[in-house]
Amino acid sequence: SIRIIKKYTCLNMNYLLLIMIHIGVGLHAVGGVWPMPQISASSPEQYPLNPEAFYFEYGRQSEAQPGCSVLDAAFKRYFSLIFPDYFPGDNLSVCAGQASLKAETVWGALRGLETFSQLVYQDDFGSFFVNKTDIEDFPRFQFRGILLDTSRHYLPVQAILKTLDAMAYSKFNVFHWHIVDDPSFPYQSQTFPDLSAKGAFHPMTHIYTQTDVQRVISYARLRGIRVLPEFDSPGHTQSWGKGQSDLLTPCYKGGTPSGAFGPVNPTLPSTYQFIARLFKEVSSVFPDSYIHLGGDEVNFFCWKSNPDVRAFMQKMGFGTDFTKLEAFYMESIVNITSTLNKTAIVWQDVFDYHERIPEDTVLHIWKGVPYDYTKELSRITKAGKRVVLAAPWYINHIAYGQDWRKSYTVQPLNFSGTEEQKKLVIGGEVCMWGEYVDATNLTPRLWPRASAAAERLWSDEKQTSSVEKAFPRLQDFRCKLLRRGIQAEPLYVGHCRHEYQGI
Amino acid sequence: MNDNGLCVELVAQSSRYGSLWPLPQKVQLSDVSFKLTTSSFRIVDAKESSAGPSCKHLTFLNFSCHCVIFSTSTFVLWATSFEGNECDAFRDQPTRDKQHSPSLSVPVQPFAVLKAPKVWGALHGLETFSQLVYKDEFGTKNINQTTISDFPRFAHRGILLDSSRHFLPIKVILANLETMAMNKFNVFHWHIVDDQSFPYLSRTFPQLSQKGAYHPYTHVYTPADVKMVIEFARLRGIRVVPEYDTPGHTQSWGKGQADLLTPCYAGSKPSGAFGPVNPILNTTYDFMTQFFKEISTVFPDAYIHLGGDEVDFTCWKSNPDIQKFMEQQGFGQDYSKLESFYIQKLLNIVSTTNKGYMIWQEVFDNGVKLKPDTVVHVWIGGATDEEMHKVTGAGYTTILSAPWYLDYISYGQDWQKYYKVEPLSFNGTEEQKKLVIGGEACLWGEYVDATNLTPRLWPRASAVAERLWSAKDVTDISDAFNRLSAHRCRMVERDIPAEPLFSSYCPHEYKGV
């Protein structure tokens, strides 16, 4: 029997996790764990495992006991992951021994279970083994996210759930749901049902109902993953205007409306009433304490063309500086978010345009090459704001060859700044924008390339600086993903014991 | 994050050609529409047809067409295949011949007529017919009065898959053949073995896969597997051309066949490494004779691809026996002469099996003496036009792959770049240009296996499909975008995970995860 000892109650998400796994068996490879644990010691002593006699158990001193939904579900899930294709009745060798897993929070215990599941291996006869190992682990960064874009292409709920499974295998813990954008509005709002009725690709087949959304949130929660919704405005909102007339700015050609629409109209009170009501709903639907408000790539052309907007600019004393108008809008909606007791995350544009935002707003860095984003990291952390780094991890940008190496060798804290500043980098995010991605190619495009970033965000940088050493481990991890039903693409030539059989 | 910065909405519009792909040579449309129901839709052999009910192809297609498309009304598709006994269900293989020319008309009365000289043309015509069917706003299947006259611009329209760098499970190969048929591809170039692994289970030399495959049981193609692929392809009008690439690209061959590869030397001693096939031993040619005898019986196509690309001379140069041989033969230091020596003997061996052969361009470039009906495969980028000019100038039939290496992925709509290729853009006479019989889209396997093959190949390969089938002046990219978007959704609806062209949606999204 393997005993898991839990000391603390089944609480809400905590950022710092301390996990210890003592397992009385031998060493195959702590190299067999991805991402690499912070501290580990292994030995060649090898113990067989018998699925007939294996079980997880809450320790006597654990505050979490049967009834802790997250761990009850996890024990069941990890049993199947550890013993794939196991049918009760198979008689394997008897094992002796005990392993213990200690964690401060239930989320830490989840990570520990994942690590444990990766230590178990099969020999050529199908027998299960785990080696004597001592692991002390914790993530380098608290925020380790994946962005999915369900507006450029609708992603069936199944595809999202599958992604959450794969995220858990790499210890990602934030699902950034870029749920709506220009091309479509699939989120079915209770307050404003027309948004999806008129703005989705199809009002019945290409939407996320409240049930769908709750399903995603609870599925994520059981895997220790936060769901961070993004309702990006004032740009990227074409689809919003279909179901909410007067929300977007009418563009003018000469003296008359051209029929086209631009960003959200920041001059009308109705805009802010709408946003307030929509965000009220969003903040109750999504339990996370953060909301992503977007704020990127606002094109001023349409605002400039509109006489009412120009008049508003004059009235407000903005002159012809439209960044001030954008700032006015963003500041208003960030305030709305604060009154709803949520913290805002916004794209870096908001900071770049010198907008006045609350101290605890998190900035999301997405632009440019290392030269650009390291400067931005310095700038934003110097201003005392927290940042999440996405710029080097836009893996929707595909290229021929082993581009996972680029993701792996990113150095998030390699910028000029004090220790205090560097502490403000709370983590990073892998972005899979959807212009060229949908359920037909999402999984192979995301995995295992995203796992390279996963190790960069979890593990110690010095221990994981060698791409050459990482390659065989990541190849091995990729085969594990295949075994677990994740359609992860190959890194290079080779094979896995169990290939993907489907189309 | 919008890479253009601006809000650019590229939503597919409707093309006046609907979702036809590749675009037929001649299409006459109208607005008159008919409804189709499963209950009363039938495909029958017309009286004049020489393909009878025993014609396996049409029976098969009848069934699958039916399943795939139809759900209404008294509608009859008369399929006619004439010109002799063209449909021997057991023996007939698709050939290089171009005379497929199906003609299809959906006239006023509720029936349609499909005429084709050969059964392969009928297959293509059935696919075209299925592409004319559309759903109206009530979900009912309709088809408009149409007259189509069609034939392919090029006779050889191929896809290369590589099952050596990664093993490809049979299911994936079959799914790909299905998709090829939907796109009117007619040649499956099976690059079955290479350096990394030898999955082909040879009856004569079972050790080749026993020792050379990634795994001797789980990562091999048994004779039954191979037969299945060939027959599955045949029923869809697709030829299977196997490639056994030598003398380079053969590392895996040496595992199960000792003394086949050249031992490399470090100084005066063998280094333990091996190079290309050893061209100086008689045992090499005995082996090749027996091996290709088997290949020629297993694969019914008239052609075998013999490779001959990228031969690295370093190992040959290091081997003292080879150095001696070079002297004896009077080759000096020119190892391409040794390469030619080998290839010449190999070609002679293969000729005795009565097969024609295809070879990569290096074999031609190095001045090897080739039979007149050799097909030269142009693959090296850079000076492609020059090469096409040279090869056709020397009188050889040619197929083009250089601009269509689909394994080279990049961000964005790269299908457009494949679509814009003009195979006959090189300087040459009419006679020369006639020698270009077609081309192949290649999906090399270094970074590809069953997990990502289908979305990587489709619909990008569809761009190549139209370039090889449709008329030269079919170059309107916006119209192509509209038709290809619809064609892509059709593939998805038929459970093929063809990836998207750009932001958009399909009425039926891909269900598998």
Side-chain angles (χ1 to χ4, degrees):
Chain A
S1 71
I2 308 285
R3 194 167 293 186
I4 308 281
I5 299 173
K6 268 287 289 101
K7 279 197 171 153
Y8 296 82
T9 46
C10 202
L11 284 175
N12 282 329
M13 188 60 103
N14 203 329
Y15 284 132
L16 286 169
L17 313 168
L18 186 66
I19 311 164
M20 288 194 293
I21 306 179
H22 301 272
I23 303 175
V25 209
L27 157 60
H28 165 63
V30 170
V33 180
W34 190 284
M36 178 172 290
Q38 297 285 343
I39 302 166
S40 49
S42 19
S43 104
E45 237 185 291
Q46 186 194 60
Y47 285 11
L49 294 179
N50 180 2
E52 296 269 321
F54 180 99
Y55 59 95
F56 295 107
E57 193 180 74
Y58 292 95
R60 247 178 286 117
Q61 289 154 322
S62 168
E63 286 204 29
Q65 289 293 324
C68 174
S69 61
V70 173
L71 289 181
D72 283 347
F75 290 168
K76 207 157 156 238
R77 195 167 65 248
Y78 275 100
F79 183 88
S80 307
L81 287 172
I82 291 168
F83 302 109
D85 310 328
Y86 166 67
F87 295 105
D90 286 3
N91 233 326
L92 297 175
S93 52
V94 179
C95 81
Q98 233 183 58
S100 98
L101 162 63
K102 292 195 194 118
E104 274 184 19
T105 66
V106 71
W107 318 114
L110 283 182
R111 309 296 171 228
L113 285 171
E114 178 59 47
T115 300
F116 178 75
S117 75
Q118 294 190 23
L119 289 170
V120 178
Y121 57 96
Q122 279 178 282
D123 67 8
D124 287 332
F125 303 98
S127 306
F128 296 94
F129 295 89
V130 71
N131 284 25
K132 178 175 181 152
T133 317
D134 252 289
I135 291 181
E136 199 182 310
D137 209 359
F138 55 88
R140 180 182 177 198
F141 293 104
Q142 325 160 325
F143 185 112
R144 305 176 303 283
I146 297 256
L147 177 152
L148 289 186
D149 168 0
T150 56
S151 172
R152 275 56 181 265
H153 285 97
Y154 178 77
L155 290 177
V157 175
Q158 263 308 110
I160 298 177
L161 302 185
K162 200 76 179 199
T163 303
L164 292 168
D165 277 328
M167 283 172 67
Y169 303 150
S170 286
K171 296 192 174 75
F172 278 103
N173 66 350
V174 178
F175 167 37
H176 175 169
W177 195 346
H178 189 90
I179 188 168
V180 298
D181 201 299
D182 284 324
S184 75
F185 196 105
Y187 171 74
Q188 187 175 53
S189 160
Q190 287 162 319
T191 327
F192 301 103
D194 265 354
L195 286 171
S196 62
K198 303 260 170 62
F201 281 134
H202 187 290
M204 298 277 99
T205 57
H206 287 63
I207 58 169
Y208 301 108
T209 61
Q210 290 299 319
T211 313
D212 289 331
V213 173
Q214 287 312 310
R215 186 145 173 245
V216 168
I217 293 171
S218 55
Y219 199 89
R221 177 178 166 273
L222 289 180
R223 285 152 185 77
I225 298 170
R226 299 163 49 196
V227 179
L228 171 69
E230 178 183 351
F231 285 85
D232 189 353
S233 70
H236 288 281
T237 44
Q238 289 293 298
S239 64
W240 299 43
K242 306 244 158 70
Q244 186 72 16
S245 52
D246 301 334
L247 178 67
L248 304 183
T249 312
C251 309
Y252 274 64
K253 201 157 179 190
T256 47
S258 68
F261 294 90
V264 168
N265 192 333
T267 69
L268 304 175
S270 55
T271 293
Y272 301 100
Q273 286 154 15
F274 165 79
I275 293 285
R277 290 178 65 202
L278 178 65
F279 281 13
K280 180 144 186 255
E281 173 187 319
V282 169
S283 56
S284 66
V285 167
F286 293 90
D288 200 86
S289 41
Y290 287 72
I291 298 188
H292 201 302
L293 304 181
D296 61 302
E297 297 184 310
V298 184
N299 189 312
F300 297 150
F301 182 78
C302 191
W303 281 350
K304 276 196 184 121
S305 75
N306 183 304
D308 300 324
V309 173
R310 289 200 301 268
F312 184 82
M313 291 279 287
Q314 286 304 315
K315 196 177 90 181
M316 300 297 289
F318 294 156
T320 52
D321 186 357
F322 285 84
T323 66
K324 294 207 163 86
L325 182 58
E326 179 184 336
F328 173 77
Y329 173 83
M330 286 311 295
E331 288 158 21
S332 310
I333 66 169
V334 172
N335 285 340
I336 289 173
T337 312
S338 304
T339 59
L340 291 166
N341 264 326
K342 300 280 189 183
T343 311
I345 305 190
V346 288
W347 297 108
Q348 69 179 79
D349 313 49
V350 176
F351 176 86
D352 296 342
Y353 291 147
H354 311 296
E355 301 171 24
R356 292 166 305 189
I357 44 179
E359 278 309 298
D360 63 351
T361 309
V362 178
L363 279 312
H364 204 157
I365 297 181
W366 66 274
K367 289 186 183 171
V369 293
Y371 179 81
D372 304 308
Y373 65 74
T374 45
K375 284 214 155 40
E376 188 74 357
L377 279 162
S378 300
R379 272 199 293 261
I380 299 184
T381 52
K382 187 137 183 260
K385 302 268 192 307
R386 288 176 297 167
V387 292
V388 169
L389 181 62
W393 289 311
Y394 265 39
I395 66 175
N396 56 313
H397 285 268
I398 55 172
Y400 180 72
Q402 294 195 44
D403 60 354
W404 69 271
R405 293 167 182 240
K406 267 193 7 207
S407 294
Y408 193 75
T409 50
V410 170
Q411 294 180 299
L413 299 185
N414 188 3
F415 63 94
S416 39
T418 63
E419 275 314 298
E420 288 313 302
Q421 273 177 261
K422 306 219 167 169
K423 285 207 187 99
L424 293 173
V425 180
I426 61 172
E429 195 173 273
V430 169
C431 295
M432 184 53 75
W433 293 102
E435 284 86 349
Y436 305 102
V437 176
D438 74 359
T440 58
N441 61 356
L442 172 69
T443 306
R445 193 162 290 194
L446 244 191
W447 312 100
R449 290 155 77 232
S451 304
E455 180 146 298
R456 183 52 51 235
L457 292 170
W458 180 281
S459 309
D460 177 89
E461 195 171 291
K462 277 206 222 47
Q463 282 180 36
T464 54
S465 54
S466 161
V467 180
E468 299 317 313
K469 289 218 186 99
F471 177 70
R473 288 177 49 237
L474 188 54
Q475 261 195 328
D476 199 59
F477 179 68
R478 181 249 169 185
C479 289
K480 276 204 184 84
L481 289 177
L482 280 194
R483 193 85 170 90
R484 295 181 178 192
I486 303 297
Q487 206 177 323
E489 64 176 13
L491 292 183
Y492 194 51
V493 302
H495 76 291
C496 294
R497 288 292 302 277
H498 301 94
E499 299 287 5
Y500 176 69
Q501 293 294 329
I503 297 174
Chain B
M1 217 43 74
N2 191 322
D3 295 286
N4 302 330
L6 284 177
C7 300
V8 175
E9 240 179 78
L10 241 182
V11 182
Q13 314 289 326
S14 289
S15 160
R16 61 193 206 90
Y17 295 113
S19 64
L20 289 172
W21 195 281
L23 191 68
Q25 301 293 340
K26 238 172 43 196
V27 186
Q28 262 169 285
L29 309 156
S30 89
D31 286 328
V32 182
S33 69
F34 307 103
K35 301 220 182 311
L36 303 172
T37 59
T38 14
S39 52
S40 41
F41 178 86
R42 288 175 297 144
I43 302 180
V44 293
D45 273 310
K47 254 183 278 114
E48 306 84 351
S49 174
S50 66
S54 67
C55 181
K56 225 163 138 199
H57 300 87
L58 292 184
T59 317
F60 158 77
L61 249 304
N62 188 342
F63 180 74
S64 71
C65 255
H66 215 264
C67 287
V68 159
I69 310 157
F70 302 118
S71 55
T72 65
S73 93
T74 338
F75 193 101
V76 177
L77 169 62
W78 298 95
T80 303
S81 165
F82 49 92
E83 252 185 52
N85 191 9
E86 287 305 335
C87 188
D88 185 324
F90 300 103
R91 282 183 313 138
D92 225 38
Q93 290 294 330
T95 63
R96 260 179 54 175
D97 208 357
K98 200 161 100 161
Q99 310 303 327
H100 296 171
S101 315
S103 81
L104 177 60
S105 59
V106 182
V108 182
Q109 299 88 347
F111 67 87
V113 178
L114 164 60
K115 286 195 204 133
K118 295 240 171 75
V119 71
W120 317 116
L123 286 181
H124 291 313
L126 284 170
E127 176 59 43
T128 305
F129 180 78
S130 77
Q131 296 189 358
L132 292 172
V133 178
Y134 62 93
K135 276 202 198 144
D136 63 17
E137 66 261 36
F138 302 101
T140 318
K141 298 241 161 75
N142 284 263
I143 190 167
N144 283 18
Q145 181 180 332
T146 317
T147 308
I148 289 179
S149 169
D150 208 1
F151 57 86
R153 182 182 174 201
F154 293 102
H156 183 115
R157 306 177 301 284
I159 295 275
L160 178 151
L161 291 187
D162 168 0
S163 59
S164 171
R165 274 59 181 264
H166 286 97
F167 180 74
L168 298 177
I170 288 291
K171 251 204 247 175
V172 156
I173 298 179
L174 300 183
N176 192 62
L177 289 168
E178 188 76 61
T179 319
M180 283 171 65
M182 284 181 63
N183 287 270
K184 296 192 173 70
F185 276 103
N186 65 349
V187 178
F188 169 35
H189 174 167
W190 194 349
H191 188 91
I192 187 169
V193 299
D194 201 299
D195 282 325
Q196 283 81 3
S197 74
F198 196 106
Y200 173 74
L201 206 165
S202 160
R203 294 189 292 247
T204 328
F205 300 101
Q207 290 287 63
L208 287 170
S209 60
Q210 183 70 25
K211 298 271 164 58
Y214 280 133
H215 188 289
Y217 309 139
T218 57
H219 289 64
V220 292
Y221 301 111
T222 62
D225 290 331
V226 174
K227 265 212 185 74
M228 177 161 42
V229 169
I230 293 172
E231 181 62 4
F232 194 92
R234 188 183 80 89
L235 288 177
R236 285 156 185 75
I238 298 171
R239 301 165 48 201
V240 180
V241 177
E243 177 182 350
Y244 289 90
D245 190 353
T246 67
H249 287 280
T250 44
Q251 289 295 298
S252 66
W253 298 51
K255 305 247 158 74
Q257 188 70 18
D259 301 333
L260 179 66
L261 304 184
T262 311
C264 309
Y265 275 67
S268 56
K269 286 203 293 278
S271 68
F274 295 90
V277 168
N278 195 331
I280 70 175
L281 301 177
N282 287 333
T283 48
T284 294
Y285 302 104
D286 292 335
F287 167 82
M288 291 298 171
T289 307
Q290 287 184 276
F291 185 75
F292 280 99
K293 180 147 179 258
E294 172 186 319
I295 299 306
S296 67
T297 56
V298 168
F299 292 91
D301 197 78
Y303 282 78
I304 302 182
H305 199 302
L306 300 178
D309 62 309
E310 298 183 311
V311 185
D312 184 353
F313 297 150
T314 326
C315 188
W316 281 350
K317 285 192 180 137
S318 75
N319 184 303
D321 298 324
I322 297 214
Q323 287 161 12
K324 231 187 298 195
F325 184 82
M326 289 284 287
E327 248 190 76
Q328 285 167 359
Q329 297 288 321
F331 290 159
Q333 286 303 302
D334 187 357
Y335 282 81
S336 67
K337 290 207 166 84
L338 182 60
E339 183 187 348
S340 303
F341 172 82
Y342 166 82
I343 293 279
Q344 200 61 74
K345 293 188 77 156
L346 178 68
L347 297 186
N348 293 342
I349 288 170
V350 175
S351 300
T352 64
T353 65
N354 275 325
K355 296 284 189 187
Y357 39 74
M358 299 174 57
I359 39 96
W360 296 110
Q361 68 180 75
E362 285 100 314
V363 177
F364 166 83
D365 294 341
N366 291 344
V368 177
K369 217 173 65 205
L370 304 167
K371 276 203 313 200
D373 67 344
T374 306
V375 180
V376 178
H377 201 157
V378 175
W379 69 273
I380 300 179
T384 314
D385 275 355
E386 252 181 69
E387 183 74 8
M388 297 292 278
H389 174 83
K390 264 197 280 200
V391 176
T392 53
Y396 293 108
T397 35
T398 315
I399 56 175
L400 180 64
S401 280
W404 291 319
Y405 264 37
L406 269 49
D407 54 317
Y408 289 153
I409 56 172
S410 57
Y411 182 70
Q413 291 195 44
D414 59 356
W415 71 272
Q416 299 193 7
K417 148 175 105 182
Y418 304 130
Y419 191 78
K420 293 191 177 137
V421 172
E422 172 40 59
L424 303 185
S425 64
F426 63 98
N427 283 331
T429 64
E430 272 317 294
E431 288 313 302
Q432 272 177 270
K433 304 219 168 172
K434 283 210 189 90
L435 290 171
V436 181
I437 57 169
E440 285 183 9
C442 297
L443 193 68
W444 294 102
E446 283 85 350
Y447 303 100
V448 175
D449 75 358
T451 57
N452 62 357
L453 188 150
T454 308
R456 189 159 294 192
L457 192 54
W458 309 101
R460 289 154 82 231
S462 303
V464 182
E466 179 149 301
R467 184 49 53 230
L468 292 172
W469 179 282
S470 306
K472 181 171 175 172
D473 59 4
V474 175
T475 50
D476 180 346
I477 276 278
S478 322
D479 186 64
F481 177 81
N482 295 332
R483 282 183 294 114
L484 187 54
S485 301
H487 181 59
R488 180 253 165 184
C489 286
R490 180 171 39 237
M491 289 192 271
V492 170
E493 208 170 336
R494 296 189 190 180
D495 284 328
I496 302 295
E499 63 176 14
L501 295 182
F502 197 57
S503 310
S504 180
Y505 78 108
C506 291
H508 298 96
E509 298 291 359
Y510 182 61
K511 282 287 173 300
V513 184

